[in-house]
Amino acid sequence: MTGDAVHPAWLPDEAWRPVGSRRVLVRADGPLAQTVVRELARAADRHGGTLRHQPARPQQADTGTRGSDSDSDSDSDSDSDDASIRAGAGFDLVSALTGADDLPGPAAMVLAEVDRRVGRGSLGTEGFVLARREGVTVLLADGPAGLLYGLFHLVRLGEAAFGAALPIDVHHPVSARRMLNHWDNIDTHPVMGQVERGYSGGSIFWRDGGLTGDLDRVRAYARLLASIGVNAVTVNNVNVHATEAHLLTDRLDDVAALAGVLRPYHVRVHLSVNFNSPVALGGLPTADPLDPGVRTWWAETTRRVYAAIPDFGGYVVKADSEGQPGPFGYGRTHAEGANTLAAALEPHGGVVHWRAFVYNHHQDWRDRSTDRARAAHDHFAPLDGHFAGNVVLQVKHGPIDFQTREPVSPVIAAMPGTHLAVELQVTQEYTGQQRHVCYLGPMWSEVLSFTPWGATRPTVAEVASGAAHGDERAEPGRRPSGQGGLVAVSNVGDDPFWTGHPLAQANLYAFGRLAWNPLLDPAALLDEWIELTFTPAATADPDLLRRTVHKVMDGSWQVYESYTAPLGVGFMVRPGSHYGPDVDGYEYTPWGTYHFADRDGIGVDRTRATGTGFTGQYPKPWSDVYESPASCPDELLLFFHHVPYTHVLHSGKTVVQHIYDTHFDGADRVALMRSSWARLGDAGLVDPDVDARVRERLDEQLRCAQEWRDQINTYFYRKSGIPDAHGRRIH
Amino acid sequence: MTGDAVHPAWLPDEAWRPVGSRRVLVRADGPLAQTVVRELARAADRHGGTLRHQPARPQQADTGTRGSDSDSDSDSDSDSDDASIRAGAGFDLVSALTGADDLPGPAAMVLAEVDRRVGRGSLGTEGFVLARREGVTVLLADGPAGLLYGLFHLVRLGEAAFGAALPIDVHHPVSARRMLNHWDNIDTHPVMGQVERGYSGGSIFWRDGGLTGDLDRVRAYARLLASIGVNAVTVNNVNVHATEAHLLTDRLDDVAALAGVLRPYHVRVHLSVNFNSPVALGGLPTADPLDPGVRTWWAETTRRVYAAIPDFGGYVVKADSEGQPGPFGYGRTHAEGANTLAAALEPHGGVVHWRAFVYNHHQDWRDRSTDRARAAHDHFAPLDGHFAGNVVLQVKHGPIDFQTREPVSPVIAAMPGTHLAVELQVTQEYTGQQRHVCYLGPMWSEVLSFTPWGATRPTVAEVASGAAHGDERAEPGRRPSGQGGLVAVSNVGDDPFWTGHPLAQANLYAFGRLAWNPLLDPAALLDEWIELTFTPAATADPDLLRRTVHKVMDGSWQVYESYTAPLGVGFMVRPGSHYGPDVDGYEYTPWGTYHFADRDGIGVDRTRATGTGFTGQYPKPWSDVYESPASCPDELLLFFHHVPYTHVLHSGKTVVQHIYDTHFDGADRVALMRSSWARLGDAGLVDPDVDARVRERLDEQLRCAQEWRDQINTYFYRKSGIPDAHGRRIH
């Protein structure tokens, strides 16, 4: 990377060498197949391979493409005759639709085995099969999207895809929809910037009050998304301001333009819409969801959207939340609100993602009976079964708001009759804002594998995929069914590294991969990401490179947790910016985020026995586990209980000594991360631009971690009067 | 006041009735005399009086105006002959320059007495003499500015000016310069708004990126200023941003236009300038004040300013402060910086107001040895005697920053060889932001009458006027001498009530009057203001009106103090906005404003014995008085000392019980203020628009006072664990 170039993230040219240096045959048709061919041609061009592209059924005249792909600029082996193709002679890789005829021998063998084992046509739109037989790697899919995903899987495998024989390996996404929400605005807000809670510069979609002029950047983004399996994005903020509201109507052309760029990578566009649109855009006197005129307006408006964007995905709605309008304003339920939009989308196959993030943000801090953690469950659990089939209730993974440590939201277990999507936050609003290294794969993995009913199954991931409650089982290796899935708030902006902190690319990567398969090991995902991004094999000291990146990133979420808010108590951040410590910053505000620290103890009593009763929103065993400090996990103790500073944790330490120890230790570990990285950079093993940016961020992380350490320790020492057992310096 | 009209503040038509209904003779010439004549003509027109205007010396041909003033639209008594004028027949009021000849009998008698007692020509530019003899009120001045100020004094006196005989009363401003600083920007800042720390809407000088189109509003403002004796304003923020920097050069025409509007009311324009201007505007490579090119640039630029505005006042500079550039950037002292600008201004008679508000705003909260209170003295005391004669060091009245309660700045006693101006803050940044009633006259009176050396004289006011150190004594009744004076940050904006809260007009009023004469009693000033503004005599129940406004305003500063930060500790406000409570809001920030509360006690140890040594910056006796908790006044205890919550005050209460008591009491008193005002409004005794605005603000004041009460009490209860002695509710 040099000058103003955009960093290739995990798709540098070098990552394409194994595929790009092979002799490849593609047997597929259609626009997505063209994308596969274009990718392979580009790789072959750079790494010396060859590419031959033929339609799946060349004997038929109804495919648009015949013979060598005209888009290809590779040295395609146009002289090979059909016979040699059938024999598989001269190909290292065959990528074909299962509907292709006359496949080369090894591919035909794999296809026969697929037919025997899972049945041709049962791979679904996005699934694929990979195997290696007789020196030929075979990639098969029922549809071209599967070939696209399979291609990127080959890139991940690298040389391993072209070595020893590989048994048949069937790949499916667990969830049908794997979505990123961009909190991007067209206009730039003077305080929030253009991207709300964005830490990577401006929007890649919008610039200077309109559509970006750099659609190549959008194309590059779509390619990155396809490579990790993300297939849906919203292109505007869930807080839909005045300008952005018009994307639904008179600025629809801009959305269509983006859809046109994303479509070749199998990414559908969704829109965040304002519930008040019938009034604000349509000039109606009301946005009451039961008003016939309103219903007609949504239907007609949606029809126009689909006329412009036939594969439009649907709407995302933040209603009655933090000042956004919603059905409460008309005395209607959220089901009534959501279903009106759903009815408009239903004829076109679209869905409504309806956010469950509804709570009172004008709370009185004096009132200890109101508990923000309860709000989503209180609002939505009674509505289970009332949502239309194309409504997806989008639930934040925790009951509060993307804190470093929260329990899993009880809403996830409370809506068996509702399609659910679990919302994660890739942008590091509360986890260091891409100035701190904080690899979130382990957090998400923990959330996704949490078992809301206490047994080993179903998991949160299975609820989200629909497998937990649906008739069709959706699990790794089987086709997904439900409308739900995983959604995350994007961390991408027009920063040359995409994500501000170059290492924060790993969070985007891990999100996509976990959305595809939540059982993947986050450490293994980090391996994948490191191999692709840094291509250590091409460096002087691949082991040092791998070891160091792991050392810096593996435990970075726990490190971040250790020097910030302790034991699940949350917040303690600067109001507004949410960066850096401010223990009492939210303590007397209307936001419902309190810690209740006094001279004797700290924490929020959310028990049924003496507190807000929030523990009662969980099914057993969690309702009991969380109810008692004796069984509550240490890391969530202060989320559920108000305890004395002298309370002894399962770890054997007192609460206050735990605070001191973790905060001293956390800052020390950041210093180690920083020195480890410096050795890597000094050895010249990473791109100098990446190195410089990472060093700058680690400097800030260390400064900030020390600030957290000192403020938190000082605060609790001043309040408790209990000195550190080890006599370390507290100010 | 109706519709969009601008409130007349303390100059409603009704206040002009006593003057306007009389037969008046003016004997004076020149532009300022024209202003006097115009004011009198307008009053006569509305209230049925008559006006005759003649030059001071009609026999001479060198005055520009002869006979009846052509600007006058009154029924001037143009048929009277010179003889009747000389006899004084038919005049109730004679307003004349002491240089006038052939004055009517009563005026001639008064003039003779003036000659005998103080000497004609010794009244100075701005002084005047008032007396009433033989049924004629006589106003004499050496210059027309004196007549202008005398006219407004007559308006204040009302009918009392036309009743019994009045002995000769000589009026002089104590300080030569009585200045308001407007922190107005041309551009609107997305967070700060257009007026930094402004709570009254946008700027009256600037709109839509340029000069306001409403110069009538500026004219009305100038008239209000003249009526209270203010004679200088800066028209832009001391934080001089990019756009506003250009007022000094290519946008000078706008400043000249404002000067043209202010001039007829004897108000000179000053400019806030950026120390870096030679670089930013002049394109020079440096702004080093000792660089010859820089000195030439300032000289030449200043020459052009005076070419456009011959009576231009000078520059105000905030240097090396809160991010503004300054001489430190070039390794120069503040004296060297100030003197370079002073040299440029000197040939034209201009002055530099150089702000002493210099401190480290990147302080480490962990470092208890650095004390922001010390900063101004540390920086400037060593420079005493090094500033040029036309430099005025502008010192905030307290050592920190306009808190509700601070000691007087020790800088004021430390610079006998320097012209000093004391800076007050009329805009209520830390005193309720014009949403709370907080009459600041008593605070300023306390500051101005403080005796830095402990004896009864000199006072702070005398230091500011130059009387304390100068050869010529400047005190009430004598001519001012020094370059110093009083400066205040304006609270005026384009709000229809000028000041947001209609009652905040009283602060502007009191500032002007105290700047003229710091010995005035703030309660008497409130009387003046009430009589002028509400003209109770014209209402159904004048006593109720007077009593209620006094009840609401008299003790409002102490009330505000009682429910906010206790015992001089300061801050505890929301960072950034500075509105509403946040006890720890600034506790761990770089701003140097800490309270160090822990479970045992609170306060800042600024003693020489064990603290930062700040007490040593005061002369005796204050250095000793403040050093010991035994002698330190209660209201400043926590400013100077860290004491246990159980420390017993001189009042007999413990610190923590004092906190509880004052906070409960303060909120209760706001409730009383609110109900008192409601009765006044219900009785229909005030303008409905004023009533509505005041009620709305009192509602907010009560809400906010209760919030302060509850947060402060809860904070200290949580920290100390000591219950309220009276068992009141603490959350």
Side-chain angles (χ1 to χ4, degrees), chain A residues 7 26 71 170 222 300 327 355 512 699:
Chain A
H7 189 264
V26 175
D71 284 358
V170 181
E300 186 49 31
R355 292 177 93 231
D699 287 350

Side-chain angles (χ1 to χ4, degrees), chain A residues 257-377:
Chain A
L258 291 174
V261 177
L262 296 168
R263 188 175 294 118
Y265 288 95
H266 193 56
V267 178
R268 289 170 93 173
V269 163
H270 297 237
L271 262 190
S272 298
V273 299
N274 191 306
F275 189 79
N276 201 38
S277 294
V279 176
L281 303 175
L284 301 190
T286 177
D288 179 353
L290 300 194
D291 180 271
V294 169
R295 296 174 66 86
T296 303
W297 187 88
W298 278 112
E300 186 49 31
T301 299
T302 304
R303 194 191 58 71
R304 279 193 292 267
V305 171
Y306 278 90
I309 310 167
D311 60 349
F312 179 73
Y315 300 140
V316 174
V317 187
K318 176 178 181 178
D320 292 317
S321 175
E322 298 180 338
Q324 292 293 305
F328 287 165
Y330 303 95
R332 307 301 181 188
T333 70
H334 274 243
E336 288 166 332
N339 290 348
T340 285
L341 274 68
L345 287 157
E346 198 276 335
H348 313 283
V351 293
V352 181
H353 280 74
W354 191 268
R355 292 177 93 231
F357 185 58
V358 177
Y359 70 99
N360 174 14
H361 70 291
H362 295 296
Q363 192 177 327
D364 188 338
W365 60 267
R366 301 167 188 84
D367 165 23
R368 290 215 188 183
S369 68
T370 303
D371 181 2
R372 173 168 164 180
R374 292 186 57 111
H377 189 283

Side-chain angles (χ1 to χ4, degrees), chain A residues 41 44-45 48-52 72-78:
Chain A
D45 193 38
T50 63
L51 170 66
R52 173 112 194 207
S72 166
D73 58 356
S74 70
D75 302 323
S76 64
D77 187 3
S78 55

